[in-house]
Amino acid sequence: MTRIRTVALCAATLIAVTLQTTAGSGVGAAASDRKRHACVSSPTHARGSARQVLDVVKRAQKELHLRSVLFRVNVRGREVVTGALGESKTGVPAKPDMHFRSGSVGIAYMGTVLLQLVDEKKVRLDDPVSRWLPELPHARQITLRMLGSTTSGLHDYVTDPKFLAALYANPYRKWTAKELVGFSTGHPLWYKPGTNWSYSHANFVLLGAALEKITGTRLDVLLRQRVMGPLGLRDTRNSYTPAIQAPVLHAYDAERGTYEESTFWNPSWTTAPGAVLTSNICDLARSAQAIGAGELLSRHAYKVQLSPGTIGLGKPTATCPATVCLPMTAARHYGVAVIVLNGWIVQNPSFYGYAAIQAYLPAQKLSIAVSTTLTRTSPGGNTAQVVASRIAHALAPRHPLAAG
């Protein structure tokens, strides 16, 4: 399986990191504010849990042959450790403030906005998407809940051989939402909407379009107003081009058969236009805690986010193989745009040589954020998740996260 086809429900565990503060130097309010929110490595004389995490990450980087590892861990909202190992590119050390593609983290933000709108009684989760997307096949059968919990039955275009061939032939191509959804709707549904579970990127491309129609607001603006702004995610942003704000964590990938730089390959296919995000490790740690604790939701909406009715679904049928309709259990299931895994609330993007994870354990108020890039000999799968699982084992052994 290629890295871009490694989809949710991989276990992950990296302790989410809050912004490290640095004392101001009396050079004005703006400069002081920048320093206060600087994303920098912790002091090198780490002890206790910080030393445990550093030792785990150093071993993992060596064993997994990783080009770089960025990481940050929080407990009860306070930083345990922040750091960066390896290189961004040859001769350029990796640093915590470098920006990388955060992929499916934007999906968690869309799910949060959807539940906010439900809280505000502007929509209901069980409203059919035909109200906003009438031209979508099966729109009367598919609801907002099914998009957010990925139970619509739509094929995942990322597994379509024709899509993959076109993607690999030209990784700089800009894809439209219509093109992407067209690959999915070109196949029959896997099952009657709402009766089973299978992951499909198309659900979130459609959810983004529905949110724009519901609010009359462009998705990037909507996410900034309702999620990134309120959470103070200063270094997380959408781009409608492959650009990444400086400083950049460069990525390299061998999916096309040759190990090559993939930093500026076009990520337009990964999710809804307006939610194609880049971030840094400090923002990712803050995001892990905020999404994992439901900071932007009512108590009821947060419960729904973690358990929207997917538990018990995911059974193979004559029309949906076991490799597609994966079992949803109380310990391991998909919520509304988040993964719930052994008590952790997770999102774990992996594509184009970038891998990352944000994970939060409410039982210990523990957050883990990790981002990795690859060398020629790195293993497949989400390597950030492997690193996070090892950190979780060290800090929360009773709540394991699978390695990916």
Side-chain angles (χ1 to χ4, degrees):
M1 178 176 289
T2 59
R3 288 188 178 92
I4 64 168
R5 294 168 65 185
T6 302
V7 185
L9 285 189
C10 296
T13 306
L14 249 200
I15 305 176
V17 183
T18 54
L19 295 174
Q20 179 178 347
T21 59
T22 303
S25 57
V27 293
S32 176
D33 185 65
R34 284 194 298 272
K35 287 187 176 183
R36 186 165 58 251
H37 293 281
C39 187
V40 297
S41 293
S42 303
T44 56
H45 53 277
R47 299 178 180 177
S49 295
R51 172 50 57 187
Q52 278 187 287
V53 173
L54 282 168
D55 290 344
V56 165
V57 175
K58 287 179 180 179
R59 285 195 301 271
Q61 187 207 8
K62 182 178 180 180
E63 292 171 8
L64 300 173
H65 307 283
L66 299 174
R67 177 175 285 273
S68 70
V69 184
L70 313 185
F71 57 98
R72 190 169 169 108
V73 173
N74 267 4
V75 174
R76 297 184 179 276
R78 302 186 67 175
E79 181 196 8
V80 173
V81 64
T82 303
L85 301 178
E87 293 184 318
S88 170
K89 56 183 180 178
T90 303
V92 179
K95 295 183 179 181
D97 64 345
M98 287 180 166
H99 300 96
F100 50 85
R101 301 204 187 279
S102 52
S104 59
V105 170
I107 288 173
Y109 298 170
M110 286 191 282
T112 295
V113 172
L114 171 61
L115 291 168
Q116 288 175 341
L117 295 172
V118 173
D119 264 346
E120 296 163 11
K121 302 189 184 304
K122 294 179 179 177
V123 296
R124 296 175 301 174
L125 274 181
D126 295 317
D127 285 341
V129 298
S130 56
R131 287 183 57 184
W132 305 281
L133 307 173
E135 296 180 359
L136 174 70
H138 313 288
R140 292 184 179 181
Q141 298 172 272
I142 296 172
T143 66
L144 294 172
R145 183 193 301 270
M146 294 173 196
L147 294 182
S149 62
T150 191
T151 57
S152 67
L154 289 167
H155 273 241
D156 190 357
Y157 57 80
V158 165
T159 66
D160 187 304
K162 292 182 180 178
F163 169 76
L164 289 173
L167 182 67
Y168 287 141
N170 181 12
Y172 296 98
R173 173 176 172 174
K174 182 176 182 178
W175 294 85
T176 67
K178 184 177 180 179
E179 288 172 329
L180 298 172
V181 174
F183 281 102
S184 292
T185 57
H187 297 271
L189 293 174
W190 283 116
Y191 45 82
K192 180 181 177 181
T195 64
N196 214 330
W197 187 92
S198 59
Y199 191 87
S200 175
H201 287 72
N203 288 312
F204 301 108
V205 175
L206 292 166
L207 179 58
L211 292 173
E212 289 189 333
K213 292 289 185 68
I214 292 165
T215 62
T217 303
R218 205 173 67 186
L219 185 60
D220 62 320
V221 176
L222 191 65
L223 297 183
R224 187 168 65 247
Q225 290 175 341
R226 287 179 170 265
V227 180
M228 283 100 82
L231 296 181
L233 303 182
R234 300 162 181 262
D235 283 280
T236 302
R237 64 188 67 177
N238 168 76
S239 179
Y240 288 102
T241 76
I244 302 177
Q245 68 266 37
V248 178
L249 180 68
H250 286 250
Y252 300 80
D253 190 50
E255 288 183 60
R256 299 202 304 163
T258 301
Y259 184 70
E260 57 191 328
E261 180 161 5
S262 53
T263 308
F264 299 109
W265 288 359
N266 198 314
S268 55
W269 58 272
T270 56
T271 192
V276 182
L277 305 181
T278 56
S279 190
N280 70 12
I281 203 64
C282 292
D283 270 15
L284 192 64
R286 172 69 184 119
S287 171
Q289 177 179 322
I291 297 298
E295 289 183 16
L296 299 175
L297 299 174
S298 69
R299 183 174 299 180
H300 174 73
Y302 178 57
K303 289 181 179 179
V304 172
Q305 184 178 42
L306 302 188
S307 185
T310 52
I311 297 173
L313 299 180
K315 299 177 180 178
T317 68
T319 59
C320 189
T323 54
V324 174
C325 286
L326 303 176
M328 299 290 102
T329 67
R332 179 188 176 98
H333 63 273
Y334 207 83
V336 175
V338 295
I339 305 161
V340 180
L341 185 60
N342 292 330
W344 293 86
I345 302 20
V346 174
Q347 264 298 354
N348 55 350
S350 179
F351 63 96
Y352 278 176
Y354 287 104
I357 187 169
Q358 64 171 45
Y360 182 74
L361 183 62
Q364 294 183 205
K365 294 183 172 57
L366 171 64
S367 317
I368 300 175
V370 176
S371 175
T372 59
T373 58
L374 312 172
T375 66
R376 296 175 186 271
T377 56
S378 299
N382 188 320
T383 53
Q385 187 168 311
V386 177
V387 177
S389 71
R390 296 183 184 187
I391 295 172
H393 179 72
L395 300 182
R398 295 183 180 180
H399 298 272
L401 284 171

